[in-house]
Amino acid sequence: MILPLAGVLFALASAVVWGFADFFGGLSSRRSSHLDVLALSRVGLISVLTVLAVMTRDALPPLTSAGWAAAAGMTGALGIASLYRGLATERSSLVVPAAGVMGAVLPVLFAALVDGFLPLAQQFGLLVALGGIWMVSQGHNDSSSPASRGLLFGALAGVGFGGFFIMLGQVEPGTTFTPLVIAALAGFVVSLIILAIARVRFPVPTKNPTALLTGALDATGVVFYMLAIRWIRLDVAAVLGSLYPAIAVLLFRGVLKEHVSTTQWVGLGVCVVAISLIVV
């Protein structure tokens, strides 16, 4: 089954943009706490999506779709919060791969139950992609502490990301930007609640503009993903979009000259093979 080219390109574009968002999010986290980055990135996300909704005069979605969008935004924000919390543990090297794989597996299982299985070659491509995501996401933390905490936070983050992918897929066609604004606002509310629980003041945006840029890039990636699922199946779009760690690794290597392990290089190659298996 040959997939529509537009859907594939939109899904891959979401991976590229999310890779940049991951890169700048990492830079932001080095300047301030993960809670500050979470809150400020939601501001950037809302700003970009609101401008797009106003410029395109996008209509309000039906109530059911608005509900799915809000649930997606809350789930996604919880996933990001779990990811940043996990990155603060001693076994942070396990967090990103666990989140990436879990976030892709859930849409695959959901689509198999709802829409049936893909042709065998593409099923194999999805499995190869999951392996590539795990390999390319591997960090360099050599801590000998128990891995359970890192895996736990990574899995929780992945559940949040997978839920975000699935719930956005339930939004009815006809509107694009207004459901995403609703999702972003719901995620912002979640971030405010998290800040209140942690007794942390809302950060000053000018102190970490990179976090705002992270949110703006996240918004662009979400738009591309939303367009992708109008053309191709949810599971394919989610897995292709989840290849973003490969882009982030290349950026950290090219811009900051950070070391890329052999496992990560192999993972990059595996991701390329997976794409060729999925799209043909």
Side-chain angles (χ1 to χ4, degrees), residues 157-214:
V159 169
F161 298 153
F164 175 81
F165 287 140
I166 293 171
M167 291 177 187
L168 268 191
Q170 310 315 302
V171 175
E172 297 178 19
T175 56
T176 299
F177 300 114
T178 50
L180 296 180
V181 172
I182 292 171
L185 289 171
F188 182 63
V189 171
V190 170
S191 70
L192 292 179
I193 294 173
I194 293 174
L195 287 177
I197 293 174
R199 297 182 179 180
V200 175
R201 292 182 179 180
F202 193 86
V204 179
T206 55
K207 288 187 176 182
N208 197 344
T210 309
L212 295 173
L213 175 60
T214 299

Side-chain angles (χ1 to χ4, degrees), residues 170-265:
Q170 310 315 302
V171 175
E172 297 178 19
T175 56
T176 299
F177 300 114
T178 50
L180 296 180
V181 172
I182 292 171
L185 289 171
F188 182 63
V189 171
V190 170
S191 70
L192 292 179
I193 294 173
I194 293 174
L195 287 177
I197 293 174
R199 297 182 179 180
V200 175
R201 292 182 179 180
F202 193 86
V204 179
T206 55
K207 288 187 176 182
N208 197 344
T210 309
L212 295 173
L213 175 60
T214 299
L217 291 168
D218 190 17
T220 307
V222 170
V223 170
F224 282 139
Y225 173 76
M226 194 74 161
L227 294 173
I229 58 179
R230 301 304 189 212
W231 290 86
I232 57 178
R233 283 176 44 134
L234 171 70
D235 47 358
V236 176
V239 170
L240 291 178
S242 295
L243 296 175
Y244 65 87
I247 305 300
V249 165
L250 291 175
L251 286 171
F252 278 109
R253 170 62 178 172
V255 178
L256 301 182
K257 308 302 180 184
E258 291 192 359
H259 173 70
V260 177
S261 67
T262 301
T263 299
Q264 289 175 306
W265 282 121

Side-chain angles (χ1 to χ4, degrees), residues 7-19:
V8 171
L9 292 178
F10 281 132
L12 291 175
S14 71
V16 171
V17 176
W18 278 331

Side-chain angles (χ1 to χ4, degrees), residues 7-278:
V8 171
L9 292 178
F10 281 132
L12 291 175
S14 71
V16 171
V17 176
W18 278 331
F20 275 85
D22 199 26
F23 172 73
F24 284 107
L27 294 181
S28 301
S29 298
R30 299 176 184 181
R31 299 179 180 178
S32 58
S33 75
H34 63 281
L35 294 180
D36 288 352
V37 177
L38 172 65
L40 290 178
S41 64
R42 298 309 90 189
V43 173
L45 180 72
I46 293 171
S47 301
V48 171
L49 292 175
T50 301
V51 169
L52 290 173
V54 172
M55 289 179 60
T56 59
R57 298 182 180 180
D58 203 28
L60 290 174
L63 187 59
T64 302
S65 292
W68 281 116
M74 290 185 286
T75 305
L78 290 173
I80 293 174
S82 298
L83 177 68
Y84 288 154
R85 178 63 183 86
L87 291 175
T89 68
E90 294 180 359
R91 293 307 299 260
S92 60
S93 59
L94 294 172
V95 176
V96 176
V101 172
M102 180 66 76
V105 164
L106 291 180
V108 170
L109 295 177
F110 177 83
L113 291 173
V114 175
D115 301 321
F117 290 99
L118 287 164
L120 188 59
Q122 290 177 324
Q123 290 183 48
F124 181 66
L126 294 180
L127 291 175
V128 172
L130 295 177
I133 292 168
W134 178 272
M135 295 172 70
V136 80
S137 301
Q138 289 293 317
H140 313 292
N141 191 318
D142 297 323
S143 171
S144 58
S145 61
S148 57
R149 290 188 69 200
L151 285 174
L152 174 62
F153 285 117
L156 289 174
V159 169
F161 298 153
F164 175 81
F165 287 140
I166 293 171
M167 291 177 187
L168 268 191
Q170 310 315 302
V171 175
E172 297 178 19
T175 56
T176 299
F177 300 114
T178 50
L180 296 180
V181 172
I182 292 171
L185 289 171
F188 182 63
V189 171
V190 170
S191 70
L192 292 179
I193 294 173
I194 293 174
L195 287 177
I197 293 174
R199 297 182 179 180
V200 175
R201 292 182 179 180
F202 193 86
V204 179
T206 55
K207 288 187 176 182
N208 197 344
T210 309
L212 295 173
L213 175 60
T214 299
L217 291 168
D218 190 17
T220 307
V222 170
V223 170
F224 282 139
Y225 173 76
M226 194 74 161
L227 294 173
I229 58 179
R230 301 304 189 212
W231 290 86
I232 57 178
R233 283 176 44 134
L234 171 70
D235 47 358
V236 176
V239 170
L240 291 178
S242 295
L243 296 175
Y244 65 87
I247 305 300
V249 165
L250 291 175
L251 286 171
F252 278 109
R253 170 62 178 172
V255 178
L256 301 182
K257 308 302 180 184
E258 291 192 359
H259 173 70
V260 177
S261 67
T262 301
T263 299
Q264 289 175 306
W265 282 121
V266 173
L268 288 168
V270 169
C271 289
V272 172
V273 172
I275 292 172
S276 65
L277 291 171
I278 292 171

